[in-house]
Amino acid sequence: MDKIIIRGGKRLSGTVPVSGAKNAALTLLPCALLTDEPVTLRNLPRLADIDGFQHLLNQFGISTSIAGARPEDFGRVMTLQATRLTSTVAPYDLVRKMRASILVLGPLLARAGEATVSLPGGCAIGNRPIDLHLKALEAIGAHIEMAAGYVRAIAPDGGLPGGRYSFPVVSVGATENALMAAVLARGKSTLHNAAREPEIVDLCNMLVAMGAQIEGIGTSDITIHGVDRLHGATYMVMPDRIEAGSYACAAAITGGEVTLAGARMEDMEATVQALRDAGVHVEPAKNGIHVAADGPLRPVTLSTAPYPGFATDMQAQLMAMLCLAKGSSVLTETIFENRYMHVPELNRMGAHIETKGRTAVVHGVQKLTGAEVMATDLRASMSLVIAGLAAEGETQVHRLYHLDRGYERLEEKFALLGADVERVGGD
Ligand code: EPZ
C-alpha cells in the first residue's frame, strides 16, 4: 500500500486548483439512470470513489466515456448513457467498498420501478444507517422489503405516486435519494427538514437541467412535481468546498499564503468564519479564495452541524490546525458517533487533545513532531497530512487509499504550494 512522506516546516504559498466536489459528483452520477439520453458531467474529480461509482453504473448497463483529460489536467469530462438497464441490482461486493452506492436506490426505483441494493453497512466513523432513505422512499410510495442483507424497493404499477416526508434528522444521502425518486413520480412530493448542503443544490440544479420541476432549492422545504420523463444534460460539478477548506487549514498551520482557485466563498461560510476566528485572513479573490496566516493561531470553539453550520467533514482538518493555536479549542462532533480517529495519531505527533464523548479539547502546543501515522478514514487522513506539514521532521502517513478516495492528486497539489511531500509505493 502507498504511503506519503512529508518533511514539515515549509510555509505553503501559491495557487492550488480546487477540484470538482466528490460529494456532489457521487449524487450527480446516478442521475444518468433517470433518462435514456446522454448525460455529460464536466469537472469530475479523478478519485477512487468516482471510478468505483462508474464501475457500479456500468454493471447496470450504463455506457460511460471519458473525454478531454490530458494527464496534466485536473478533473475529467464523463458522458454516461443508460439507453436501457440490464440490471437493477447493486451487489454487495461493490456496495461494501463504497457506501455512496446506496444513492442508486432512488434513481433505479424511479426509472425501472424496482431496485435491489446491498445494505452498505457501517464505516470507521459510524454505523451509518439508511433508515431515513427507506422511510422517505416509502413516503413517496415505494414498497420496501429487506432480505439477506439487501434492500428491495418496488414502485406500485404505473410508478411512484409521490408523497410527503418530514426528516426527523437532516440526512444528505436520504434527501438525495428522495429527490432522485420523486422527479419521475406520477404526482407531487414535498420534503421537509431536507438537507441544504451545496451538493444538494448542485443535484437539484442538475435535475432541473434534465427537465425536473423542483421548488425550494437550497431550503429545507422542497417540492418536486413529478414529470413523465427527463432528458439528457451537460452539467459542471461544483467545486469541492471540503477540499478547499482542507487546503486552507494546511496553509494556515504553516503560516502560509495560498489562493484556492475555483473555490466559492458562499459554499463554505462556516469554514471561513472558523478560520477567521482562528486569526486567519480569508478574502474572496478574483478566481477563488485567498487565505493568509501571518500571526499566531487563536483557539476556536464550535460544534459541527448540518449546512449552513460547520461541516463535520471539516472537523478533523480544523482540529489539526488548532493543535498549534495559542490556547485551548473545544470542538463538538454532533453528526457522527466516532469521528475522532485522528486524535490518537495527532497526539502521537505531540498534540495535546483530550476527548470525552462527542467533545474534543485541543490544548495548543508549541510544536508537533513528525511520526509514522496510520490513516483510518478520509478526513482523518487529511488531518494527519496537515499536521505533518507543520511538524518538525518527517511524517509518514500509511494507508493512502483513504486519502485517494477524496483528494485528487494531493501530493501534486501540495507540491504546487511548495510542500515537501512524496508518495512512496508499498510499505
Ligand atoms: C454525506 O454522508 C457525505 N457523503 C459525508 O461525507 C458527510 O459527512 C455527511 O453527508 C454529512 O454531511 C457523501 O455525500 C457521499 P447523512 P451521508 O445521511 O449522506 C444519520 C466525506 O468525508 N443517518 O447526512 O451518509 C447518520 O448516521 C463523507 O466526504 C441516519 O440515522 O450523511 C449521521 O449521524 C463522510 N439514518 C447523520 O444522519 C439515515 O438513513 C447525517 O448523515 C441516514 C443518516
Side-chain angles (χ1 to χ4, degrees):
M1 283 183 281
D2 285 5
K3 62 185 174 186
I4 209 164
I5 299 174
I6 304 156
R7 293 169 191 89
K10 302 277 189 312
R11 185 179 166 280
L12 298 193
S13 68
T15 296
V16 62
V18 174
S19 295
K22 166 181 83 85
N23 290 348
L26 290 173
T27 193
L28 296 175
L29 283 162
C31 290
L33 288 161
L34 293 168
T35 176
D36 59 3
E37 296 183 12
V39 164
T40 297
L41 290 174
R42 313 185 65 77
N43 195 33
L44 206 56
R46 292 168 193 255
L47 296 171
D49 271 8
I50 303 303
D51 296 341
F53 214 103
Q54 178 185 1
H55 179 54
L56 173 66
L57 293 175
N58 290 151
Q59 64 94 39
F60 296 132
I62 289 192
S63 67
T64 51
S65 61
I66 306 278
R70 296 172 302 164
E72 66 275 20
D73 288 338
F74 289 103
R76 292 181 298 179
V77 176
M78 185 185 292
T79 295
L80 309 95
Q81 185 162 10
T83 309
R84 76 186 68 73
L85 300 186
T86 55
S87 166
T88 59
V89 178
Y92 172 71
D93 68 315
L94 292 181
V95 175
R96 70 184 175 82
K97 292 176 194 142
M98 187 184 54
R99 309 189 66 266
S101 310
I102 194 65
L103 294 176
V104 300
L105 184 60
L108 275 176
L109 180 62
R111 170 72 185 274
E114 62 170 314
T116 305
V117 178
S118 168
L119 289 168
C123 73
I125 63 177
N127 70 12
R128 312 290 293 276
I130 60 163
D131 55 315
L132 299 178
H133 296 241
L134 305 182
K135 286 181 184 135
L137 293 177
E138 278 179 326
I140 295 172
H143 171 66
I144 303 282
E145 54 193 38
M146 317 285 272
Y150 280 75
V151 58
R152 180 157 168 69
I154 299 163
D157 290 345
L160 294 168
R164 180 188 174 283
Y165 186 66
S166 186
F167 289 92
V169 170
V170 172
S171 164
V172 170
T175 300
E176 291 165 346
N177 253 329
L179 280 164
M180 291 188 282
V183 289
L184 289 177
R186 291 202 310 277
K188 180 174 88 168
S189 300
T190 53
L191 303 176
H192 302 287
N193 198 27
R196 297 169 49 195
E197 271 67 13
E199 293 76 19
I200 303 276
V201 173
D202 227 29
L203 169 62
C204 289
N205 290 340
M206 163 95 175
L207 291 169
V208 167
M210 295 172 69
Q213 292 179 16
I214 305 175
E215 295 158 8
I217 295 175
T219 76
S220 49
D221 294 296
I222 305 176
T223 298
I224 307 102
H225 301 277
V227 294
D228 293 337
R229 63 185 306 279
L230 293 179
H231 51 71
T234 294
Y235 192 78
M236 174 79 79
V237 180
M238 66 172 277
D240 195 316
R241 61 191 173 105
I242 306 301
E243 184 196 29
S246 303
Y247 280 93
C249 290
I253 198 172
T254 64
E257 184 164 356
V258 164
T259 297
L260 309 167
R264 297 185 316 203
M265 289 281 277
E266 65 270 25
D267 293 339
M268 46 197 286
E269 286 173 0
T271 293
V272 170
Q273 189 55 57
L275 290 165
R276 285 174 172 164
D277 291 346
V280 182
H281 301 291
V282 186
E283 298 304 332
K286 67 179 179 355
N287 64 338
I289 298 176
H290 188 254
V291 176
D294 53 12
L297 294 172
R298 295 195 295 260
V300 165
T301 290
L302 61 75
S303 295
T304 63
Y307 192 87
F310 185 83
T312 173
D313 289 353
M314 275 300 306
Q315 176 257 111
Q317 300 90 300
L318 185 78
M319 182 187 286
M321 184 192 87
L322 293 171
C323 289
L324 294 182
K326 302 283 181 243
S328 295
S329 303
V330 181
L331 304 182
T332 303
E333 173 55 63
T334 69
I335 306 294
F336 291 110
E337 61 267 32
N338 186 33
R339 205 164 197 179
Y340 286 140
M341 309 274 275
H342 41 290
V343 168
E345 294 300 273
L346 289 172
N347 283 339
R348 290 181 58 242
M349 296 176 72
H352 179 193
I353 307 167
E354 297 170 304
T355 58
K356 186 171 174 45
R358 298 265 184 138
T359 296
V361 180
V362 186
H363 303 287
V365 294
Q366 291 297 320
K367 69 181 176 75
L368 295 172
T369 308
E372 285 209 62
V373 290
M374 187 72 71
T376 52
D377 60 270
L378 170 58
R379 307 302 175 185
S381 314
M382 180 51 94
S383 83
L384 301 178
V385 172
I386 290 167
L389 290 166
E392 287 183 3
E394 182 177 285
T395 296
Q396 297 198 15
V397 182
H398 295 263
R399 295 190 178 171
L400 269 200
Y401 57 87
H402 289 296
L403 270 167
D404 291 336
R405 298 189 53 184
Y407 289 96
E408 181 174 12
R409 296 159 61 181
L410 83 156
E411 69 276 11
E412 292 174 52
K413 291 195 178 186
F414 276 123
L416 283 175
L417 299 175
D420 184 344
V421 174
E422 182 190 0
R423 177 187 288 258
V424 176
D427 63 8

